[in-house]
């Protein structure tokens, strides 16, 4: 069973770049079964999809964040990463990584990490 | 529009049935999936591909869709079903995901 674990700094200064990794265990990130997604949730608010990456490196990003987001995959380390630049307090949230798999061509978020809180503050 | 709208909160008596709806133009073209989130926990998928349940999800959860509205029904709600529920689907372009605004379900 694939499991996901987010890691990275819990505190980032305004205007800097938020960097998180998601380590995949129990399976290969190169399996081709999944896309690998990042999703975030500000405290007390709803979920926001950030973007996803495929094993090939192909990406899709939320249009509202696209100018600041980079998601990449490292098959040698079996993990994928999120970089969000020029952060502000509005980027403070719990960040989740998730697997994005297809059933009969319809994609859904199958497995989720436990999430990691990132606070943007000076 | 790329938005998915849900009622903010609904309540249901223990053992009764509750339906949670999700409205959006993109639902005319794309299926919704549904996620349950309990306080302090990551979301868990309860319905995908309109009305499929992952292993371990009770059969009291079911999904349906008509026009621009997707629905999640809990038949015989249990205390442990008290949670936030989010729908998810593609936006109108089909290239990006969007989550619904979320519904808090209270079991009385």
């Amino acid at each position: 069973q694939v499991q996901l674990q987010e890691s990275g700094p819990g505190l980032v200064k305004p205007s800097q770049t938020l960097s998180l990794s998601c380590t995949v265990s129990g399976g290969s990130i190169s399996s081709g079964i999944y896309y690998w997604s990042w999703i975030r949730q500000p405290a007390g608010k709803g979920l926001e999809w950030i973007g996803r990456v495929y094993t090939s490196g192909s990406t899709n990003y939320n249009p509202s964040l696209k100018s600041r987001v980079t998601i990449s995959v490292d098959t040698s380390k079996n993990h994928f990463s999120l970089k969000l630049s020029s952060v502000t307090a509005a980027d403070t949230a719990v960040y989740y990584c998730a697997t994005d798999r297809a059933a009969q061509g319809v994609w859904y978020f199958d497995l989720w990490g436990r999430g990691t809180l990132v606070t943007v503050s000076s | 529009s790329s938005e998915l709208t849900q009622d903010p909160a609904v309540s249901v008596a223990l053992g009764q049935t509750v339906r949670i709806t999700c409205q959006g133009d993109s639902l005319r073209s794309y299926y919704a999936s549904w996620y349950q989130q309990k306080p302090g926990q990551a979301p868990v998928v309860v319905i995908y591909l309109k009305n499929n349940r992952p292993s371990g999800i009770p059969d009291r959860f079911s999904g349906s869709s008509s026009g621009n509205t997707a629905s999640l029904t809990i038949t015989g709600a249990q205390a442990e079903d008290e949670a936030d529920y989010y729908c998810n689907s593609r936006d109108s372009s089909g290239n990006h995901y969007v989550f619904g605004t979320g519904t808090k379900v209270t079991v009385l």
Side-chain angles (χ1 to χ4, degrees):
Chain A
Q1 172 78 335
V2 170
Q3 294 185 315
L4 308 175
Q5 179 65 60
E6 305 88 351
S7 61
L11 181 63
V12 181
K13 288 181 167 47
S15 80
Q16 294 191 342
T17 296
L18 178 160
S19 296
L20 296 175
S21 291
C22 181
T23 299
V24 178
S25 59
S28 171
I29 202 167
S30 301
S31 66
I33 297 173
Y34 301 115
Y35 271 85
W36 307 92
S37 274
W38 286 97
I39 294 156
R40 70 181 183 179
Q41 184 173 38
K45 296 188 178 181
L47 300 166
E48 180 180 34
W49 177 72
I50 299 170
R52 68 178 187 172
V53 63
Y54 193 59
T55 302
S56 63
S58 172
T59 54
N60 298 102
Y61 297 135
N62 186 324
S64 69
L65 297 170
K66 185 176 181 178
S67 63
R68 300 194 290 130
V69 171
T70 302
I71 298 175
S72 59
V73 62
D74 187 333
T75 56
S76 67
K77 295 182 179 178
N78 219 40
H79 78 193
F80 62 108
S81 300
L82 167 69
K83 291 188 185 300
L84 181 65
S85 64
S86 304
V87 297
T88 70
D91 295 309
T92 295
V94 173
Y95 286 76
Y96 296 99
C97 56
T99 61
D100 183 7
R101 73 178 300 171
Q104 300 179 35
V106 178
W107 295 84
Y108 66 101
F109 301 109
D110 182 26
L111 301 170
W112 297 63
R114 297 179 68 175
T116 187
L117 174 62
V118 178
T119 301
V120 178
S121 175
S122 55
Chain B
S1 170
S2 300
E3 296 180 346
L4 296 178
T5 302
Q6 299 179 237
D7 290 330
V10 297
S11 60
V12 57
L14 185 67
Q16 296 303 301
T17 296
V18 62
R19 188 173 75 167
I20 305 160
T21 60
C22 172
Q23 290 189 304
D25 290 342
S26 64
L27 297 177
R28 297 184 185 278
S29 304
Y30 301 103
Y31 287 126
S33 51
W34 289 92
Y35 302 84
Q36 176 193 69
Q37 186 180 33
K38 296 181 179 179
Q41 297 183 19
V44 172
V45 59
V46 294
I47 292 290
Y48 65 95
L49 187 55
K50 185 177 176 182
N51 191 24
N52 286 264
R53 284 174 291 104
S55 173
I57 300 301
D59 62 5
R60 62 180 178 269
F61 290 90
S62 63
S64 62
S65 183
S66 178
N68 73 335
T69 301
S71 301
L72 173 70
T73 300
I74 309 174
T75 303
Q78 301 299 303
E80 60 264 32
D81 300 333
E82 188 162 288
D84 295 326
Y85 291 83
Y86 295 91
C87 60
N88 176 267
S89 188
R90 300 284 184 152
D91 68 3
S92 298
S93 75
N95 295 320
H96 313 111
Y97 289 112
V98 60
F99 282 95
T101 49
T103 298
K104 181 176 181 61
V105 172
T106 300
V107 180
L108 303 173

